[in-house]
């Protein structure tokens, strides 16, 4: 037995599998040419932020547009940060946005697929098999340095360009077998370090799918690959997992770029084909003319739960995300207004290098558009689901009469130019408040030529003429007919030609009726509102308004 083999056996006496075993167990995937295998690798901290959703969407779309595989792996090696139930919260959050994995950890916590387990804490024996093999080849070694010793090393490097555990500072790099045995016999704790083959003057280059060519100094650090409890560091787990799970493209936050030289070195030392990286820049926000990262502390909109609470449909968020994800998306959307998002040829190369600007105002616009295209039944069902959780009064109103609710939501909808009043479900209670007596708040303020005096005349007449059996044309013809008897003209042009000749025009007359019935000067189609309010309510509101103007 060589000395390295002996050391490997000493450090990992219970590990009996060789890497070849796992290579055979997790063979290369049988996918068509060009298919990409991507993953989302959340750490279970319980907080799903927009960045996770963004990166998850990028990874998901990359797999989907190439007929590849998208899987979820839970990275729970940092047990201190672990929050119970967090994985389920995160995966269910992603599911809301249609980000569902083909394999890996599922939202109910179960696992699916041939490349598992997909939870890092269940893979420790695998990491250790690879670690043992590195030790046996002399490519990794145990380090017995205490935290204090590492501090001392750092202090002694005050004038060095390159700090850390490397070269001559790597104290345990060349311990003799005797010394190692002594330390172990004495019960000293050890971590396992990579014997870095890096050289100070060499460069590490790679082509990032998003950022393009990246060049950095090669890694020379003898980085820790297993912590003293035998659990791998992110670096080592990433290399082993993404190799064995046959990931082709690693989509992750660009805070990892700095560590890429370590990762590429690990791939090399382990004999793995390197993955391709797609480093995603963080989402940015514009504030007082400056761009800054969205922050957990300052920006509630960073939490994905914010969108659920406000009631932005997932479809809107996905649509908006795509507009900031791929620079050509909006052109594609204009050319394909009704096509599903899944048909968009998502491309990593079209992503922002420096960080996409997330703008809630733009999201709101996109969402208004998305909702305006939804059929009334869908609006009803999504708004109702939202209301059950966040607005019980609305849920109750909906439950009292589902058909009425759908009919209300269908006013000026399902046509070529639908109105765009609703951006999120929390807009709905206000949007239709006047359609229910319970939530109607009168407001008799008038605009234009509509004065209280004119209102008295109009309402007195209208109470007598309104007939809910009228069709729309007859209804409007009646309003026009009324005009001259209240000193107005049914013809706006005629009014404009000689404003002094009239008290107002048909628009003013309509405004008076609209305000009396809804408390607003701008609403969807008044004819439909009237028919849905019903005769009793219409008469009652007209009468109350009339009384108000008389007393004014
Ligand atoms: N678990 C890592 C994180 O949450 C994932 C990084 C990666 O995707 O490789 O930051």
């Amino acid at each position: 037995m060589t000395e390295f083999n002996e050391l490997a056996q000493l450090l990992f006496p219970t590990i009996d599998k060789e890497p070849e075993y796992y290579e055979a167990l997790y063979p290369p995937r049988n996918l068509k040419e060009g298919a990409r295998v991507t993953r989302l690798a959340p750490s279970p901290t319980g907080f799903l932020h927009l960045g996770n959703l963004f990166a998850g969407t990028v990874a998901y779309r990359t797999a989907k547009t190439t007929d590849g595989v998208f899987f979820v792996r839970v990275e729970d090696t940092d047990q201190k940060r672990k929050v119970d139930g967090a994985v389920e919260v995160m995966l269910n959050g992603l599911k809301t946005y249609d980000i569902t994995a083909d394999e890996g950890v599922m939202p109910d916590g179960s696992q699916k697929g041939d490349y598992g387990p997909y939870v890092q804490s269940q893979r420790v024996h695998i990491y250790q098999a690879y670690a043992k093999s590195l030790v046996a080849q002399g490519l990794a070694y145990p380090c017995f340095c205490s935290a204090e010793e590492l501090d001392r090393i750092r202090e002694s490097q005050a004038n060095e360009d390159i700090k850390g555990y490397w070269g001559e500072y790597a104290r345990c790099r060349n311990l003799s077998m005797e010394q190692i045995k002594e330390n172990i016999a004495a019960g000293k704790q050890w971590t396992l370090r990579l014997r870095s083959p890096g050289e100070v003057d060499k460069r590490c280059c790679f082509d990032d799918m998003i950022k393009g060519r990246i060049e950095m100094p090669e890694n020379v650090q003898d980085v820790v690959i297993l912590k003293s409890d035998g659990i791998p560091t992110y670096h080592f787990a990433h290399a082993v997992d993404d190799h064995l799970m046959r990931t082709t493209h690693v989509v992750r936050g660009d805070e990892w770029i700095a560590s890429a030289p370590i990762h590429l070195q690990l791939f090399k030392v382990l004999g793995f084909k390197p993955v391709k990286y797609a480093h995603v820049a963080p989402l940015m926000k514009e504030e007082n003319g400056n761009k800054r990262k969205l922050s957990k502390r300052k920006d509630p909109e960073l939490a994905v739960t914010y969108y659920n609470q406000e009631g932005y449909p997932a479809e809107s968020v996905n649509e908006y995300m795509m507009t900031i994800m791929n620079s050509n998306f909006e052109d594609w959307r204009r050319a394909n207004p009704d096509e599903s998002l899944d048909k968009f040829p998502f491309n990593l190369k079209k992503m922002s290098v420096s960080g996409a600007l997330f703008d809630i105002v733009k999201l709101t616009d996109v969402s208004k558009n998305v909702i305006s295209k939804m059929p009334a039944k869908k609006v009803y069902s999504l708004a109702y689901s939202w209301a059950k959780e966040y607005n019980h009064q609305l849920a109750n109103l909906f439950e009292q009469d589902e058909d009425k609710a759908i009919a209300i939501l269908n006013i000026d909808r399902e046509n070529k130019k639908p109105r765009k009043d609703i951006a999120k479900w929390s807009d709905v209670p206000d949007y239709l408040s006047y359609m229910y007596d319970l939530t109607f708040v009168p407001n008799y303020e008038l605009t234009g030529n509509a004065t209280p005096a004119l209102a008295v005349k109009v309402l007195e007449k209208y109470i007598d003429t309104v007939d809910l059996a009228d069709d729309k044309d007859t209804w409007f013809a009646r309003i026009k007919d009324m005009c001259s008897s209240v000193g107005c003209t049914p013809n706006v042009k005629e009014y404009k030609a000689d404003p002094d000749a009239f008290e107002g025009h048909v628009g003013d007359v309509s405004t008076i009726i609209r305000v009396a019935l809804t408390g607003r000067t701008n609403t969807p189609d008044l004819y439909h509102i009237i028919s849905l309010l019903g005769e009793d309510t219409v008469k009652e509101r007209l009468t109350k308004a009339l009384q108000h103007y008389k007393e004014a």
Side-chain angles (χ1 to χ4, degrees), residues 315-328:
E315 229 174 296
S316 302
V317 176
N318 283 346
E319 179 86 8
Y320 175 61
M321 287 282 228
M322 198 55 83
T323 67
I324 57 172
M325 220 170 252
N326 258 198
S327 48
N328 55 332

Side-chain angles (χ1 to χ4, degrees), residues 34 61 104 117 132 134 202 212 218 223 247-248 257 275 293 314 317 329 331 347 364 396 413 422 459 465 469 517:
R61 296 264 164 222
K132 184 175 183 179
L134 288 183
K202 284 205 176 146
E218 194 168 73
V223 290
T247 309
T248 63
I257 287 186
V275 289
K293 274 195 221 174
V317 176
F329 176 72
D331 286 343
N347 186 345
T364 300
N396 287 337
R413 180 178 293 282
I422 305 171
L459 293 175
T465 50
L517 293 174

Side-chain angles (χ1 to χ4, degrees), residues 523-544:
T523 69
D525 184 64
L526 187 56
Y527 170 76
H528 285 111
I529 291 175
I530 290 174
S531 41
L532 285 169
L533 284 176
E535 173 130 18
D536 294 347
T537 303
V538 167
K539 290 258 159 93
E540 188 191 316
R541 290 191 190 173
L542 291 173
T543 310
K544 282 201 178 137

Side-chain angles (χ1 to χ4, degrees), residues 32-93:
K32 73 168 209 203
E33 179 82 22
R36 293 176 174 179
V37 179
T38 64
R39 84 305 188 268
L40 183 69
S43 299
T45 57
F47 177 73
L48 181 66
H49 64 80
L50 216 52
N52 300 123
L53 180 58
F54 192 77
T57 306
V58 173
Y60 174 83
R61 296 264 164 222
T62 299
K64 292 294 134 183
T65 47
T66 57
D67 292 327
V69 175
F70 170 68
F71 70 87
V72 168
R73 176 175 72 231
V74 170
E75 306 212 319
D76 60 346
T77 54
D78 188 351
Q79 296 287 329
K80 279 190 284 280
R81 287 174 64 209
K82 195 166 163 180
V83 178
D84 281 340
V87 174
E88 284 82 349
V89 168
M90 293 179 86
L91 297 182
N92 277 303

